[in-house]
Amino acid sequence: MPFPNLVPSPAPPDWPDCGRITAQDPDGCRGVHLAGHTACLAHVADADRDAYLSGLTPGARIDHRGTPFTQPLLDALLNALRDPATGHPRLGSARFEWATFHDDARFESTTFEGNARFEAVTFHRGAWFRSARFRLVTGFHSAIFHGKAFFEAAIFERDVWFSAATFHHDAEFESATFLQSAGYGSTVFHNLAWFSSATFQGVAGFEWATFHGDAWLAAATFQHVASFEAATFHRATRFESATFQRDASFESAVFTHTITLGPFVCAERVQLSQAEFRSPATLSLAANRLKCRRTRWLSTAELRLRYAEVDLSHAVFEYPLTLAAELVPFTPPNGQPVGEEALATHTDSAVRLATLRGVDAAHLVLADVDLSGCLFTGTVHLDQLRLEGNCVFAAVPPTLHWRGWRPIRFTQRRTLAEEHHWRASQQGSAPGWNAAVAGAGHVGPLHLAPVYRALRKAFEDGKHEPGAADFYYGEMEMRRHADDAPRSERSLLTAYWALSGYGMRASRALAWLGAAMLVTIVLLMGLGLPQDAPKQGATGTVPAGGGKVTFEIAKEDPQNPTSDRFTGERFERALNVTLNSVVFRSSGQDLTTAGTYIEMISRLAEPVLLGLAVLAVRSRVKR
């Protein structure tokens, strides 16, 4: 900082002061002595003042610290410094620290070729710096503006500092240009702060600034870092069509009034961490990254974004908050779409959510957001999360892989980024799982099972049954791999997975059903069907002398086949028995003892497999 807080204390000043007691300065005038005199410019004799002014030339160095100025006195000073070539005042280095301007201070079109120092100046009326040019460092540290301050079209070629300044009326910097750093730290704006179309080519620092009136930065351009850290905005804040070529930081800022932030474009990161929104807020921005760590939203809010990767870790939502991807460029009320040239290197405008860890998701709504890299572990009330539109999750590896002699193919489903990280870290994992999930940490099945369960419920509440089925599958996978599950339970889950993919894979259940039917048919043809159909025989005794004859009808026991077991006739009979078993019906055919047991087992197993296949199909088509 070129002017480190060198504001003199009120008494005594560190320069030879005038000391004249007047109605305006009852404690004595603080004006610095005019060279060769014992009074300041305001209190020297008229002849001495005229002699001093007549000796000034354009570009001269002047020192009027602590001097009280009226408008005629300031006009006389600036006229003495007016450049005949341009018709405007031209000053060298100018020192006005602790000066007081009792009337309008008109520095329009003035050029300051040296350092311009206005620290602790008091402007009782308007301060006019329209189209002024500051070629070296400019300081308004602790200045007080009681009237309007006009800096429209002013050009600051070097650093300018308004730190701890106070603007009691409007402060207008429309179309101003800041070629290097601009510091407004701890500045207080009691009325409108107008920076529309301003250009900041260096760092723009508004740390700890207070805006009691509206803050307008529409169409402003920030070519370097813009910092509003710990700033307080008490009224409307507008950034329509603003462009940030570097970071825009609102860390720890406080917004007490309804806010419409944007639409604006930021080529790098927008920092909202630890900021606090106490009233309804609408944020519309296109940025590379948006950080909202520990941000507090104390009222309803809507975030409409483009391109951004969003970090919401440990953010607090006390009212509903909607985070939505804007599919087309923003169009402000003036009807002109916001230019996105600063983000031209991006291939698409998708919004990616990086993490929800530490968030209570009960009031959160996500719409058209890419969740393929999002970290969900540690999120509270995840089952109450609302997902609208096309929210994309990570997918399993898409191709066929070989693990030794066994082929491995993953059925497509929605997965979590943490599962990718966990599977990729396992020995012998199939290629395609993403191990480079930033911040996933040591997360395993025990942590992921409840996350999948909560997301499944969220999808069920949203009547999205296919999505719920995917997360049910993920939950069961994590339970199967969890270390805390008893071996018997893991064995049961493994069998459930192998037979039907937890009731979610119809093709797997149908494959097993087909295999079971084929085995049943083969066994029936080989062992279950008798060699020949058993014949019935009737035996009886005719009483001597006639009378009633009684017959006993007996049926031969089915005989095991001995030859010609695999014939077309036997296949047809075995198929009939098997098909009846699938629908849990008895075929009514004569079977051998072995065939009876084969039918009993098939009537138990095959309807279960058929039911699992039907359940899997229903989970995909149910709404």
Side-chain angles (χ1 to χ4, degrees):
M1 179 181 295
F3 296 148
N5 298 345
L6 294 179
V7 180
S9 58
D14 60 355
W15 56 77
D17 60 324
C18 177
R20 298 292 179 88
I21 297 177
T22 64
Q24 293 176 332
D25 293 305
D27 295 327
C29 176
R30 301 167 52 83
V32 66
H33 288 174
L34 206 59
H37 301 277
T38 59
C40 66
L41 180 64
H43 296 126
V44 295
D46 293 342
D48 294 333
R49 183 185 305 113
D50 293 340
Y52 167 75
L53 295 175
S54 62
L56 294 176
T57 58
R61 300 174 59 183
I62 59 173
D63 181 0
H64 297 293
R65 288 172 288 176
T67 301
F69 282 92
T70 60
Q71 186 168 343
L73 180 59
L74 179 61
D75 290 345
L77 176 63
L78 295 179
N79 285 332
L81 297 165
R82 196 173 300 276
D83 190 341
T86 62
H88 302 303
R90 179 165 58 89
L91 286 65
S93 62
R95 303 196 64 173
F96 289 95
E97 300 100 309
W98 280 94
T100 302
F101 295 87
H102 295 284
D103 300 319
D104 287 344
R106 293 185 170 272
F107 289 89
E108 293 117 319
S109 301
T110 298
T111 299
F112 296 84
E113 295 184 337
N115 294 334
R117 304 191 61 168
F118 289 84
E119 291 100 310
V121 166
T122 299
F123 296 91
H124 286 286
R125 301 284 295 274
W128 303 71
F129 289 86
R130 284 180 178 145
S131 300
R133 180 181 289 268
F134 300 84
R135 296 192 183 276
L136 291 181
V137 178
T138 306
F140 285 88
H141 180 81
S142 299
I144 300 175
F145 298 81
H146 289 283
K148 291 185 176 181
F150 299 93
F151 290 85
E152 298 101 319
I155 299 176
F156 300 88
E157 297 186 8
R158 296 290 294 274
D159 297 344
V160 55
W161 303 96
F162 285 84
S163 307
T166 302
F167 294 85
H168 288 282
H169 213 287
D170 296 352
E172 300 192 13
F173 290 83
E174 184 174 6
S175 300
T177 301
F178 302 84
L179 299 183
Q180 292 197 21
S181 298
Y184 286 84
S186 301
T187 301
V188 179
F189 298 87
H190 285 280
N191 213 326
L192 175 66
W194 189 280
F195 290 86
S196 297
S197 301
T199 300
F200 297 84
Q201 296 187 10
V203 175
F206 289 83
E207 299 91 343
W208 294 96
T210 302
F211 297 85
H212 289 283
D214 295 347
W216 289 80
L217 291 99
T221 301
F222 299 84
Q223 298 183 4
H224 211 279
V225 175
S227 176
F228 293 84
E229 295 179 7
T232 302
F233 300 86
H234 290 288
R235 295 289 299 276
T237 306
R238 311 298 292 267
F239 282 84
E240 288 101 337
S241 302
T243 301
F244 297 85
Q245 300 289 351
R246 299 283 294 275
D247 291 354
S249 178
F250 295 86
E251 186 172 357
S252 301
V254 177
F255 300 87
T256 64
H257 193 269
T258 301
I259 176 179
T260 301
L261 196 61
F264 66 81
V265 176
C266 179
E268 296 190 9
R269 179 182 62 179
V270 176
Q271 175 70 270
L272 289 175
S273 297
Q274 301 186 63
E276 185 173 299
F277 294 83
R278 299 178 182 175
S279 296
T282 300
L283 278 67
S284 304
L285 57 98
N288 185 35
R289 286 180 294 164
L290 173 62
K291 271 197 172 183
C292 297
R293 291 182 178 178
R294 302 188 185 278
T295 304
R296 294 180 59 85
W297 311 85
L298 307 183
S299 187
T300 56
E302 181 180 19
L303 277 66
R304 307 203 65 85
L305 310 175
R306 286 174 60 79
Y307 300 99
E309 180 182 84
V310 186
D311 181 352
L312 289 178
S313 56
H314 302 283
V316 177
F317 315 123
E318 295 191 4
Y319 287 84
L321 181 140
T322 300
L323 192 157
E326 192 74 10
L327 304 181
V328 297
F330 296 108
T331 303
N334 61 16
Q336 296 295 325
V338 175
E340 297 178 344
E341 294 79 7
L343 297 165
T345 57
H346 288 254
T347 56
D348 62 77
S349 61
V351 175
R352 303 165 302 283
L353 187 57
T355 177
L356 280 176
R357 286 184 172 177
V359 169
D360 186 340
H363 295 297
L364 182 60
V365 180
L366 303 177
D368 300 314
V369 178
D370 184 352
L371 300 173
S372 59
C374 184
L375 305 179
F376 287 96
T377 52
T379 306
V380 181
H381 293 146
L382 194 55
D383 58 319
Q384 299 180 39
L385 173 69
R386 285 184 55 192
L387 301 172
E388 305 288 346
N390 182 27
C391 290
V392 180
F393 286 83
V396 297
T399 57
L400 182 68
H401 305 281
W402 291 88
R403 182 177 295 168
W405 57 271
R406 291 181 302 158
I408 299 176
R409 177 182 173 276
F410 299 98
T411 304
Q412 287 301 307
R413 63 181 174 92
R414 297 170 178 84
T415 60
L416 300 181
E418 288 104 326
E419 181 182 348
H420 270 259
H421 178 77
W422 171 74
R423 287 190 181 274
S425 64
Q426 301 303 298
Q427 185 175 4
S429 63
W433 296 104
N434 182 15
V437 178
H442 300 288
V443 175
L446 282 175
H447 308 90
L448 293 177
V451 176
Y452 273 113
R453 187 179 306 118
L455 286 173
R456 172 177 61 84
K457 185 177 184 302
F459 272 82
E460 288 174 346
D461 292 343
K463 306 301 180 184
H464 193 321
E465 294 300 330
D470 284 346
F471 286 105
Y472 172 74
Y473 190 100
E475 175 191 354
M476 298 300 287
E477 276 286 271
M478 296 302 103
R479 287 180 56 191
R480 181 167 71 92
H481 291 285
D483 295 333
D484 67 333
R487 178 169 296 184
S488 58
E489 180 181 341
R490 295 176 64 180
S491 300
L492 181 62
L493 290 174
T494 300
Y496 191 21
W497 164 78
L499 290 175
S500 64
Y502 311 111
M504 297 289 108
R505 300 293 181 259
S507 59
R508 193 178 304 179
L510 289 174
W512 280 108
L513 176 61
M517 292 174 65
L518 180 61
V519 170
T520 302
I521 291 173
V522 171
L523 291 176
L524 287 174
M525 292 176 67
L527 301 173
L529 297 177
Q531 180 70 32
D532 298 303
K535 296 180 180 180
Q536 294 181 339
T539 60
T541 303
V542 178
K548 183 176 180 181
V549 180
T550 302
F551 291 94
E552 290 183 0
I553 299 177
K555 191 174 184 179
E556 297 179 355
D557 291 333
Q559 300 298 314
N560 291 327
T562 56
S563 63
D564 296 330
R565 301 185 184 193
F566 298 98
T567 64
E569 179 185 357
R570 291 176 65 82
F571 172 77
E572 184 177 353
R573 291 171 59 195
L575 179 62
N576 181 271
V577 174
T578 303
L579 291 177
N580 279 281
S581 297
V582 171
V583 294
F584 205 70
R585 290 179 55 189
S586 175
S587 64
Q589 295 195 40
D590 293 313
L591 301 172
T592 65
T593 302
T596 301
Y597 285 106
I598 292 171
E599 183 186 35
M600 291 171 59
I601 294 173
S602 66
R603 287 181 63 189
L604 176 65
E606 290 167 5
V608 171
L609 293 173
L610 178 63
L612 290 174
V614 172
L615 179 65
V617 173
R618 180 177 178 273
S619 69
R620 287 294 171 183
V621 300
K622 180 183 176 183
R623 286 291 186 269

